[in-house]
Amino acid sequence: MGKLLSEEVKERKSGAVARIYQWVDERLGLSEVIELAKKKEVPEHRHSFWYYWGGITLFLFLVMCVTGVLLLVYYRPGDEAYESVRQITYDIKFGWLIRSTHSWAANLMIGAAFVHMFSAFFMRAYRKPREFTWWSGLVLLILAMVFGFSGYLLPMDELAYFATKVGLSIPAVIPVLGPWVADIIRGGPEITGFTVSRFFALHVVILPALFIPILIFHLILVQKHGMSVPDGEAKDVRTIPFFPNFAMRDLAIWLITLNVLALLAALFPWKLGAPADPLKPAPMDIHPEWYFMSSFQMLKIFGQLFPGAVGEFLGLAVFTLGLVLWFLIPFFDPKTEGGLRARATMYFGLFVLGVLVITTIWGYWALPSTK
Amino acid sequence: MSNQSETMGRIGGDEKGPESGDLMDRRGFITAVVGVVGACYAAAIGYPVYRYLASPVEEAMAAGAVKEVTLPKEAMDLPQNSALMFKFGTRPALLIRHEDGTYTAMSAICTHLGCTVTYEPDQKRVFCPCHSGVYDAVSGKNVAGPPPHPLERYEVEIRDGQIIVRRS
């Protein structure tokens, strides 16, 4: 009797759920999306592992959005910036964890985006018809790095202060417009509460307003063109359904990412240094975040080779040239069969990767505190 | 995939058998495990986020849990038929000195919708400007307008030339 009753309740429930689903479906067309997801196939081959890095980057971006909104609850830009971050870190319950998660997620996100970019590069996923996916991805990575740069100053501790001071002196070497641009970004000749307010507006309003539409564009293109299959795997490639097979694997990898992030954030909480003091000398081991370390070190090398502003200007010119070439790769290597240009592109990619890795390691090795 | 799941689903017992409703098959077990693990993750994320957001509330509750407040010495100089606003913990309160020289202390938060009330010396009443609520200046009783309850009264004691207000 009890069993019959419970079955009856279950049936009624499922009937109610079905009716609600139908009501929503008639208005939003959910069934069409589900049908589309059922038909969608993802190629599977020995390089499939690299397909997950875009998803990891997206997941970390979502974590950053959530933790960023939570930090906004207590963060106060301007002259109170340091005090508010001190409160978040030491006074507010679990504030240290939210801040640490935000900072770690930022670093992991940029790391994942780099892996995603280089894997797309070496699998030649920039070729027709995915040129716009490549370009939008590069713009997203650049914006993510600007996110990182602007977020780095917000606690206004001494390392953030001096790293931003150094970072903003780079555009100042651009002839004619450089010093004016740097002053406008800083809100004056020095880094003050005005700079923090500007960077805050950039970090929480302007950059998300640019980033999110480009991200949506990027994701739509990924859906439209599907996953790119590398040359060597193109023949008789096996596919798996996107839903549930690929989606479940993606979810599992998100879960692993979440666990790694939680461990890092809890075991290695992000530090807060002493408050910024313009009258104090810069700390000995002043350095930018790791993703700017390569350019930091290259500027140092150029500075030693060509003393004065010439070195910095040349360094900046080389970065700009490298970035332009990186953008133009789809035009240089448009063919799908391996040839001279394909090989040259591969060597160029390996060269760029090598330079980035070596100068980053060199940068850390050259820090006074590591000697 | 689905065929495999169906085959695996039968391992736990014959689905058509008489006991199929009671025995948990493999699919049911996995669903339950995923549900429990999901709930653990939700709790592990939700708890710190809740404590983070509730942090100032907890602090205010702790600060508001005071039982006694000593007013500054100037409170003794309060003229007759006038009032002084002060903080009892984190909340506003009212000390009234009546014409006969006696003191009354009460919460200054209107029991209707939480506006801060004021003492009107000309009418010798406590008045809430938001919705014209009126309280008795001696007892704190709600006497006119929408307030549903009296204002909370505090005890007043004068000790060593200072006024001490405490929760009754």
Side-chain angles (χ1 to χ4, degrees):
Chain A
M1 182 66 184
K3 202 182 215 175
L4 278 175
L5 263 175
S6 70
E7 272 170 16
E8 205 172 295
V9 170
K10 216 174 179 180
E11 263 175 32
R12 263 191 215 164
K13 255 189 184 173
S14 65
V17 170
R19 278 199 299 279
I20 292 169
Y21 176 79
Q22 196 187 341
W23 189 90
V24 177
D25 187 30
E26 282 167 1
R27 283 149 186 89
L28 299 181
L30 295 179
S31 303
E32 291 164 31
V33 180
I34 292 168
E35 278 308 306
L36 200 74
K38 273 183 187 168
K39 278 183 200 156
K40 191 175 158 58
E41 296 275 323
V42 177
E44 191 173 62
H45 47 80
R46 63 202 169 108
H47 301 302
S48 296
F49 168 72
W50 303 106
Y51 287 149
Y52 297 99
W53 286 89
I56 294 172
T57 314
L58 175 65
F59 172 71
L60 290 164
F61 176 70
L62 296 176
V63 171
M64 303 226 32
C65 291
V66 174
T67 50
V69 169
L70 287 170
L71 289 173
L72 270 178
V73 173
Y74 297 113
Y75 180 75
R76 300 188 295 278
D79 294 331
E80 279 189 281
Y82 180 83
E83 176 54 20
S84 66
V85 178
R86 194 203 59 73
Q87 280 178 351
I88 291 171
T89 313
Y90 299 113
D91 296 345
I92 305 291
K93 306 262 171 16
F94 290 101
W96 65 273
L97 186 61
I98 305 286
R99 179 172 168 249
S100 189
T101 307
H102 191 73
S103 303
W104 272 109
N107 282 274
L108 293 179
M109 179 187 145
I110 291 184
F114 266 109
V115 173
H116 181 48
M117 180 187 73
F118 276 107
S119 59
F121 182 91
F122 289 120
M123 289 204 279
R124 304 189 189 284
Y126 48 77
R127 284 173 171 172
K128 187 185 171 188
R130 297 186 181 81
E131 291 93 334
F132 279 101
T133 321
W134 173 252
W135 292 325
S136 56
L138 286 186
V139 172
L140 286 174
L141 179 58
I142 292 167
L143 287 177
M145 289 171 80
V146 182
F147 257 119
F149 183 71
S150 54
Y152 198 61
L153 177 70
L154 299 185
M156 201 55 172
D157 59 0
E158 55 179 11
L159 201 59
Y161 173 83
F162 284 108
T164 310
K165 206 173 162 76
V166 173
L168 284 182
S169 65
I170 296 170
V173 301
I174 299 169
V176 190
L177 284 177
W180 176 78
V181 169
D183 277 355
I184 290 292
I185 297 173
R186 265 192 302 259
E190 288 298 325
I191 290 171
T192 59
F194 286 124
T195 323
V196 178
S197 296
R198 277 159 196 247
F199 273 43
F200 177 70
L202 185 70
H203 194 76
V204 305
V205 180
I206 299 165
L207 287 172
L210 293 172
F211 193 91
I212 292 168
I214 300 173
L215 176 65
I216 293 168
F217 176 69
H218 189 74
L219 293 174
I220 289 171
L221 288 180
V222 171
Q223 291 308 308
K224 181 175 166 58
H225 299 306
M227 305 289 198
S228 159
V229 181
D231 285 353
E233 311 291 334
K235 282 176 189 166
D236 305 324
V237 70
R238 206 164 74 87
T239 60
I240 56 167
F242 174 80
F243 193 83
N245 302 44
F246 188 81
M248 285 297 163
R249 287 183 198 184
D250 229 3
L251 201 65
I253 285 181
W254 284 23
L255 208 58
I256 293 168
T257 310
L258 178 66
N259 287 334
V260 170
L261 176 63
L263 278 175
L264 288 171
L267 298 180
F268 306 102
W270 213 258
K271 285 177 194 160
L272 178 67
D277 183 353
L279 299 178
K280 269 189 177 175
M284 285 305 279
D285 59 345
I286 178 174
H287 64 88
E289 288 284 65
W290 63 270
Y291 41 88
F292 289 119
M293 191 50 125
S294 170
S295 37
F296 178 70
Q297 184 58 24
M298 277 196 269
L299 278 180
K300 264 199 205 171
I301 297 166
F302 275 101
Q304 280 161 5
L305 292 175
F306 307 95
V310 182
E312 279 177 11
F313 180 71
L314 275 178
L316 208 61
V318 169
F319 297 149
T320 312
L321 182 70
L323 198 63
V324 169
L325 289 178
W326 203 246
F327 259 91
L328 295 178
I329 282 297
F331 293 126
F332 180 75
D333 178 30
K335 288 180 185 168
T336 45
E337 65 266 21
L340 187 66
R341 286 191 167 204
R343 274 204 303 281
T345 308
M346 177 71 83
Y347 293 137
F348 177 60
L350 288 172
F351 172 74
V352 170
L353 183 61
V355 167
L356 286 179
V357 171
I358 290 167
T359 48
T360 302
I361 296 169
W362 189 355
Y364 277 101
W365 179 77
L367 287 178
S369 59
T370 56
K371 284 193 167 171
Chain B
M1 182 71 182
S2 61
N3 285 343
Q4 192 188 7
S5 309
E6 279 165 17
T7 316
M8 292 194 315
R10 289 190 201 106
I11 293 170
D14 184 359
E15 282 176 4
K16 289 174 186 169
E19 291 169 346
S20 63
D22 300 326
L23 281 177
M24 185 180 273
D25 59 11
R26 181 176 284 197
R27 182 182 286 270
F29 175 72
I30 289 171
T31 308
V33 168
V34 168
V36 170
V37 172
C40 288
Y41 268 96
I45 294 168
Y47 178 72
V49 169
Y50 168 74
R51 291 294 304 275
Y52 175 80
L53 291 173
S55 202
V57 182
E58 287 171 15
E59 264 179 42
M61 295 287 271
V66 293
K67 294 203 169 107
E68 190 177 285
V69 169
T70 304
L71 298 184
K73 286 194 170 159
E74 295 75 54
M76 288 295 290
D77 304 330
L78 193 64
Q80 289 180 345
N81 193 26
S82 66
L84 171 79
M85 294 294 284
F86 65 98
K87 267 195 163 182
F88 194 87
T90 54
R91 308 184 134 215
L94 198 59
L95 177 77
I96 303 168
R97 190 172 187 196
H98 301 286
E99 280 184 327
D100 59 1
T102 57
Y103 291 95
T104 304
M106 59 186 81
S107 160
I109 298 172
C110 180
T111 58
H112 177 220
L113 289 173
C115 288
T116 302
V117 298
T118 183
Y119 176 66
E120 292 187 331
D122 51 339
Q123 304 211 42
K124 295 182 184 60
R125 65 178 190 175
V126 175
F127 181 70
C128 177
C130 288
H131 300 94
S132 304
V134 180
Y135 299 90
D136 182 81
V138 178
S139 66
K141 197 173 176 299
N142 47 320
V143 289
H149 306 292
L151 293 170
E152 185 186 358
R153 276 280 308 269
Y154 303 130
E155 282 176 15
V156 180
E157 185 194 339
I158 299 169
R159 197 198 301 158
D160 302 330
Q162 277 194 295
I163 295 174
I164 295 160
V165 178
R166 72 169 65 89
R167 218 177 276 277
S168 305

